[in-house]
């Protein structure tokens, strides 16, 4: 309860305008400390980084239940975003390693025991895995923070407990995957079998390494599939640790193979493999397109894509402004702004616009940025130099295109990839910062006049991942909810990611849904079985 | 006649000390208000095991009040499903840790096979809990397709305070078949175990508390049907009652519900389930299924295959096999791992079964084997087979609930279907055939809630179970059982300017 309760508390209280206090452990009393910390933040990042309270024990590829080197013997360095220093060199998979991993997964699928095991047994293994995750919560969280720069408190209190929760959720599905019997127009017995799809390729990003790992493997394993999963080259560590625990929980060898490596080599080898029956990818829209193309060119494997977004966050005139400011701030800045569903277009009704901008600026200035291992820190460094530079380029473009820079705009400190929380007002729809996915701590505030207008503007994007709606009016809420062409609408809340809530995109934000009951269909084949009936008593 | 292990054989299993003999109300073990107690008997000997608090109307009132409070104001229905799941998983783990003692309690209290309890019944109870724990966070309503500009959805809400009345033949299995989905749904409950077998239910109540199930959510009141049971079914503050037992009592429960607050009723009652063996069946497999179908748990099982229909082509061979197998069937002390059949649960059942055997003889059925009590002490009965029965005979109409099979010959599939359906019951049926068409035709033609083709007793947590006709209504097991404990609420509100409908 404690861990889950914390998440509930976190996600619920975001709507009560106290997210900052949660991240800094405490109530209003800490507010003043928070602002003082900010002034110290620049100093904090030039200090020596806190030593990560964990060691790296798994650096190889996990194939057929064993940790092995890459066939080429190559390794890739994974860096600490606080400093750019190397944490460890991990095995770098290439096409040959993918072939080995697919062969292991194929054998584990075709010969078993995994798909042939009673679902109850699969459930028990997943439940034991969840227990082990709970036991190693802090270790996993530390590894995640070290490799990705996320605040440790966020990892330890929210993300790893959420991961554990997801594993239990999927464990519960294992023995409830139902086909249907169907009516026929004549004397036939019709039924559908929901069968595991086979060998599944999964490619995950660096922004939520453990959660994305779980969104992918949870439903695939519950359905009885075997997996080759490629982690991001930026964050390979935590998935290896977790996968080792899953084997300790009793997962048979070959069921889950985890490889670290780069997209154009290892990732492409998965997507174009003739013996991979399905591929699921989370990442950028451009890479998603490439994967869909590779699937089409190879064996027409079905594809699930969860891609980028430029999600609108709409503050209506009747919204509680303080709450709206806090929620909009959280919607954009959470996880260093590195969320595919970040509320990166903040639309504010003209009647409350000025007040909102002023308060949003104040809130951004109060955001605590620093070493993510430090208590009370809300924002760590961006993931790497490339992302850092990309974000800085967008900030520059925002200024040049005439948006008003209200806060931030620079890097913080001179080491690592820290960026000051940045707020632009007077943003116009055609500016790059309002069109492109920045994936960083840059909030763009736009003004609107009426509902029809904001619906049109909000939908005027290639993306369609999520939206936030802030209003007390039930009619406005319903109108916006149905009119927005996005996969998730959060009304008076944001980033609520419970296990049972499906998530995915419209338009170029992706295909398919993850989490919830819907995610199972990504990993199941439906087989219709038809038999004639002789003298049936009824039809 | 089955072989009999002498009851003087000393069982090597340690008989547990009885720890819990009082009512479990609002998280505490308490005496009944009247202070009365009753004896629970060891069917191997007829001796008393312990004196158990005897709950009556006032005790049920207290238990319902506790359950009402826990539902209206307590955390249980307000927890996220995942939190109820966590506690239920812990409950399951505690059961796994106490398998031996729980199995022993059901053996001394109900005469059930200890080895079976330890290897199957009790671990299966933990599995049932885990199944429904996994369902607690998967209770979905629907968002609806309205024909006008309305947004509408359904909520599945816990039904409230539930009364469960449990029989004595599967004290553990049937208890968890009912409380697990009700717990997952977020209901609170009052359970009355059978007066013959109160011991394990009280032990489970103790484990529930250890697992963290909040006080008042699960209350166990031991006592008798006409007093405690009736108090549950007539109670104005119980929202649903779920009963497993005889049709006679089921009728009383339904009447009481109708006359009190029209509470929702589900009934899992008796059966007189047919097993139909076709000419193309493997004779050995068919004979084994038929025999196990009736003798399993000494015939004290509502789905017992108590009417066996064999097609004429293989009839003689099947009969020969059945007699052979019945004679080799081992009856004796249920703690002995060699034993296949223990004593009937009590003297009343024992005498009732023997009287049905006498009826069978009188009515003109042919007694093929068995028919007599076994040993000088306890309630053991020989595996008994009658042939040449007619559906009008008492032994073919009534649920005997003992090791007594009625066997008949049939010619054609239509005849088998017609005779199989000639019963006021409709709980289960077995079909033994290799022919796909026969299997499909018979499956759809039999009026029964479970059809087992080339198998029998194929229960599963995910597989709904319940009766047609006078075998009752409402499912146990599967997600259907979960829905039994959930109300459907439709919520509708107008929408404006919607881009789609």
């Amino acid at each position: 309860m404690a861990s889950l309760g914390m998440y509930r508390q976190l996600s619920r209280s975001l709507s009560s305008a106290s997210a900052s206090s949660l991240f800094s452990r405490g109530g209003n009393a800490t507010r003043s400390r928070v602002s003082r910390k900010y002034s110290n933040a620049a100093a904090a990042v030039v200090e020596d980084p806190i030593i990560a309270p964990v060691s790296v024990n798994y650096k190889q590829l996990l194939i057929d239940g064993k940790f092995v080197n890459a066939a080429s013997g190559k390794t890739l360095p994974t860096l600490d975003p606080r400093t750019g220093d190397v944490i460890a060199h991990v095995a770098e998979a290439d096409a040959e390693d993918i072939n080995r991993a697919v062969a292991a997964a194929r054998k584990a699928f075709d010969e078993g025991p995994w798909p042939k095991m009673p679902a109850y047994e699969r459930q028990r293994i997943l439940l034991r895995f969840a227990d082990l995750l709970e036991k190693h919560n802090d270790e996993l969280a530390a590894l995640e923070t070290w490799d990705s720069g996320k605040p440790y408190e966020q990892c330890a209190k929210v993300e790893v407990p959420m991961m554990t929760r997801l594993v239990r959720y999927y464990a519960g599905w294992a023995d409830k995957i139902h086909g249907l019997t169907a009516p026929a127009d004549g004397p036939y017995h019709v039924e559908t079998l929901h069968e595991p799809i086979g060998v599944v390729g999964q490619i995950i990003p660096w922004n939520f390494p453990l959660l994305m790992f779980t969104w992918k493997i949870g439903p695939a394993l519950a359905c009885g599939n075997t997996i080759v999963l490629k982690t991001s080259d930026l964050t390979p560590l935590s998935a290896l640790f977790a996968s080792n625990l899953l084997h300790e929980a009793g997962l048979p060898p070959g069921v889950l193979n985890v490889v670290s490596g780069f997209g154009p080599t290892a990732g492409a080898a998965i997507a174009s493999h003739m013996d991979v029956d399905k591929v699921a990818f989370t990442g950028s829209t451009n890479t998603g397109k490439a994967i869909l193309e590779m699937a089409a060119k190879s064996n027409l494997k079905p594809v699930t894509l969860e891609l980028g977004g430029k999600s609108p966050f709409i503050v209506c005139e009747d919204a509680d402004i303080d709450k709206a400011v806090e929620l909009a701030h959280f919607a954009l800045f959470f996880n260093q702004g590195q969320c595919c569903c970040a509320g990166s277009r903040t639309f504010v009704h003209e009647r409350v616009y000025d007040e909102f901008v002023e308060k949003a600026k104040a809130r951004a200035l109060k955001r605590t940025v620093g070493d993510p291992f430090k208590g009370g820190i809300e924002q760590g460094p961006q993931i790497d130099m490339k992302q850092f530079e990309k974000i800085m380029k967008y900030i520059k473009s925002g200024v040049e295109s005439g948006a008003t820079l209200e806060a931030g705009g620079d890097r913080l400190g001179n080491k690592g990839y820290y960026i000051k929380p940045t707020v632009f007002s007077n943003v116009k729809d055609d500016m790059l910062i309002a069109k492109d996915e920045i994936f960083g701590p840059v909030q763009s505030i736009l003004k609107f006049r009426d509902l029809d207008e904001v619906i049109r503007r909000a939908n005027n994007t290639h993306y369609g991942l999520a939206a936030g709606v802030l209003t007390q009016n039930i009619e406005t809420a319903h109108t916006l909810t149905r009119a927005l062409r996005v996969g998730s609408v959060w009304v008076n809340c944001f980033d609520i990611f419970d296990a049972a809530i499906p998530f995915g995109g419209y338009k170029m934000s992706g295909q398919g849904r993850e989490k919830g009951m819907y995610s199972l269909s990504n990993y199941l084949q439906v087989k219709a079985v038809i038999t004639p009936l002789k003298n049936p008593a009824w039809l | 006649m089955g072989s009999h292990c002498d009851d003087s054989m000393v069982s090597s299993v340690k008989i547990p000390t009885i720890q819990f003999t009082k009512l479990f109300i609002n998280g505490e073990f308490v005496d009944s208000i009247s202070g009365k107690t009753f004896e629970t008997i060891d069917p191997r000997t007829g001796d008393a095991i312990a004196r158990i608090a005897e709950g009556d109307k006032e005790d049920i009132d207290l238990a319902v009040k506790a359950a009402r409070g826990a539902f209206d104001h307590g955390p249980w229905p307000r927890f996220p499903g995942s939190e109820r799941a966590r506690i239920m998983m812990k409950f399951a783990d505690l059961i796994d840790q106490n398998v031996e003692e729980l199995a022993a309690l059901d053996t001394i209290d109900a005469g059930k096979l200890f080895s079976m309890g330890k290897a199957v019944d009790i671990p299966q109870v933990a599995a049932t809990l885990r199944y429904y724990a996994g369902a607690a966070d998967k209770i979905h309503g629907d968002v609806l397709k309205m024909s006008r500009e309305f947004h509408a959805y359904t909520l599945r809400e816990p039904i409230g305070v539930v009364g469960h009345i449990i029989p004595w033949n599967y004290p553990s299995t049937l208890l968890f078949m009912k409380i697990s989905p009700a717990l997952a749904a977020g209901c609170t409950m009052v359970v009355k175990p059978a007066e013959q077998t109160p011991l394990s239910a009280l032990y489970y109540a103790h484990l529930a508390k250890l697992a963290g199930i909040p006080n008042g959510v699960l209350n166990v009141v031991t006592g008798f049907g006409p007093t405690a049971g009736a108090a549950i079914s007539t109670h104005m503050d119980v929202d649903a009652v779920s009963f497993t037992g005889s049709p006679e009592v089921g009728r009383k429960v339904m009447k009481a519900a109708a006359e009190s607050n029209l509470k929702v009723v589900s009934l899992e009652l008796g059966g007189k389930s047919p097993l139909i063996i076709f000419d193309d069946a493997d004779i050995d497999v068919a004979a084994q299924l038929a025999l196990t179908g009736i003798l399993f748990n000494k015939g004290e099982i509502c789905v017992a295959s108590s009417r066996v229909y064999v097609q004429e082509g293989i009839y003689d061979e099947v009969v020969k096999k059945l007699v052979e197998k019945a004679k080799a069937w081992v009856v004796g002390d249920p703690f002995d791992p060699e034993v296949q059949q223990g004593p009937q649960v009590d003297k009343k059942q024992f005498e009732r079964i023997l009287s049905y055997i006498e009826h069978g003889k009188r009515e003109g059925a042919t007694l093929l084997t068995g028919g007599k009590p076994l040993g000088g002490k306890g309630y053991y009965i020989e595996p008994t087979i009658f042939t040449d029965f007619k559906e009008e005979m008492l032994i073919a109409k009534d649920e005997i609930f003992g090791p007594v099979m009625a066997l008949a010959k049939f010619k054609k599939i239509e005849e088998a279907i017609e005779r199989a359906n000639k019963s006021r019951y409709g709980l289960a049926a077995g079909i033994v055939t290799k022919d796909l068409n026969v299997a499909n035709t018979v499956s759809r033609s039999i009026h029964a809630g479970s059809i087992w083709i080339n198998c029998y007793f194929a229960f599963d947590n995910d597989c709904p179970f319940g009766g047609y006709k006078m075998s009752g209504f409402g499912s146990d097991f599967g997600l259907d059982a979960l829905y039994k404990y959930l109300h459907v609420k439709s919520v509708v509100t107008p929408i404006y300017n919607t881009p789609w409908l």
Side-chain angles (χ1 to χ4, degrees), chain B residues 196-330:
Chain B
Q196 293 88 341
T197 55
L199 297 178
S200 59
L202 293 172
Y203 198 100
Y204 288 120
H206 157 70
L207 294 182
K209 182 165 183 174
L210 287 183
I213 291 187
N215 292 345
V217 172
L218 174 66
N219 305 277
V220 179
V221 178
T222 46
F224 294 89
T227 49
I232 289 176
S233 41
T234 54
H235 206 290
M236 292 300 287
D237 220 11
V238 169
D239 301 306
V241 62
S242 160
F243 170 78
T244 295
S246 72
E248 295 71 35
V249 179
R251 201 188 286 278
K252 283 183 191 165
V253 168
M254 193 165 164
K255 250 170 124 165
E259 282 168 4
S260 56
N261 62 344
L262 282 170
K263 58 179 69 64
V264 177
V265 178
S266 70
L267 302 173
E268 198 266 277
L269 308 175
K272 194 73 192 178
S273 299
L275 175 73
I276 309 171
I277 301 170
F278 288 89
D279 275 343
D280 65 345
D282 178 306
I283 288 165
D284 201 55
V285 168
Q288 192 60 48
L289 280 177
L291 197 76
T292 313
I294 185 64
L295 298 183
F296 190 70
N297 205 50
K298 344 150 219 175
E300 292 170 353
I301 181 161
C302 48
V303 290
S305 61
S306 47
R307 291 182 295 148
V308 177
Y309 296 94
V310 184
Q311 204 161 12
E312 56 180 359
I314 56 167
Y315 180 81
D316 292 341
E317 282 177 88
V318 170
V319 167
K320 204 172 129 228
K321 276 272 179 199
L322 276 173
V323 174
E324 238 171 65
K325 285 175 188 283
K327 290 196 166 157
W329 191 261
V330 188

Side-chain angles (χ1 to χ4, degrees), chain B residues 23-100:
Chain B
L23 315 178
F24 185 75
I25 296 177
N26 209 18
E28 304 296 334
F29 284 100
V30 294
D31 288 317
S32 63
I33 290 176
S34 67
K36 280 204 282 187
T37 58
F38 65 97
E39 280 183 341
T40 185
I41 305 291
D42 185 341
R44 298 175 304 162
T45 56
D47 299 340
I49 306 166
R51 294 203 71 88
I52 305 294
E54 184 185 334
D56 205 333
K57 187 178 175 307
E58 309 81 69
D59 304 291
I60 294 293
D61 284 344
L62 272 185
V64 172
K65 200 174 156 209
R68 186 86 259 160
F71 187 79
D72 291 347
H73 309 292
W76 193 248
R78 291 163 188 83
F79 276 148
S82 55
E83 180 59 11
R84 289 197 295 274
R86 200 187 60 79
I87 294 170
M88 290 170 71
M89 289 288 185
K90 180 142 187 238
F91 191 4
D93 290 345
L94 289 173
I95 290 169
D96 277 342
Q97 288 159 26
N98 292 277
V99 164
E100 188 123 347

Side-chain angles (χ1 to χ4, degrees), chain A residues 1 4 120 123-124 127 165 169 172-173 175-176 178 189 474-475 478-479 482-483 531-535 537-538, chain B residues 82-83 86 89 127 130-131 134-135 137-138 140 151 436-437 440-441 444-445 462 479 493 495-496 498-500:
Chain A
M1 173 66 186
L4 180 62
Y120 181 62
Q123 182 199 77
R124 293 303 302 273
L127 289 174
R165 161 80 187 110
Y169 175 78
W173 269 123
D175 57 5
K176 297 170 189 72
H178 293 161
H189 171 71
I474 188 171
E475 288 172 19
H478 280 300
T479 301
R482 292 199 171 216
T531 319
L533 286 170
K534 234 175 111 182
N535 304 321
W538 54 271
Chain B
S82 55
E83 180 59 11
R86 200 187 60 79
M89 289 288 185
R130 289 194 181 101
Y131 173 84
D137 57 4
K138 297 171 184 69
H140 294 110
H151 174 68
L436 187 57
N437 285 326
N440 280 336
T441 302
R444 292 201 175 214
S445 302
D462 197 39
L479 295 181
T493 184
I495 44 176
Y496 303 94
T498 175
W500 55 270

Side-chain angles (χ1 to χ4, degrees), chain B residues 360-479:
Chain B
K361 291 185 203 163
R362 256 204 316 274
E363 287 174 321
T366 311
L367 180 66
L368 188 64
T369 182
K372 296 187 297 294
L374 260 176
K377 199 176 172 190
Y379 312 126
Y380 298 91
I381 295 179
E382 288 177 339
T384 299
I385 303 177
F386 281 104
T387 57
D388 308 320
F389 78 87
K390 302 276 183 305
E391 280 71 24
E392 295 73 26
M393 293 178 180
L394 260 193
I395 57 162
K397 277 162 73 177
D398 285 9
E399 182 176 46
I400 300 176
F401 230 58
V404 183
M405 178 197 295
L407 187 64
K409 194 193 293 186
F410 74 91
K411 284 196 170 76
K412 285 182 159 169
I413 180 171
E414 293 77 13
E415 180 197 347
I417 291 168
E418 195 194 325
R419 291 184 69 179
N421 279 334
K422 224 178 203 179
S423 169
R424 61 180 184 270
Y425 292 112
L427 198 52
I431 305 167
V432 190
T433 180
K434 295 195 179 86
D435 187 316
L436 187 57
N437 285 326
V438 170
N440 280 336
T441 302
V442 179
S443 297
R444 292 201 175 214
S445 302
I446 301 288
H447 305 143
S450 293
I451 307 285
W452 291 304
I453 303 169
N454 299 327
C455 58
Y456 211 78
F457 298 133
F459 285 103
D460 194 279
N461 289 320
D462 197 39
C463 189
F465 168 71
Y468 278 41
K469 301 193 274 187
M470 285 175 66
S471 290
F473 49 84
S475 288
D476 288 308
F477 285 138
L479 295 181

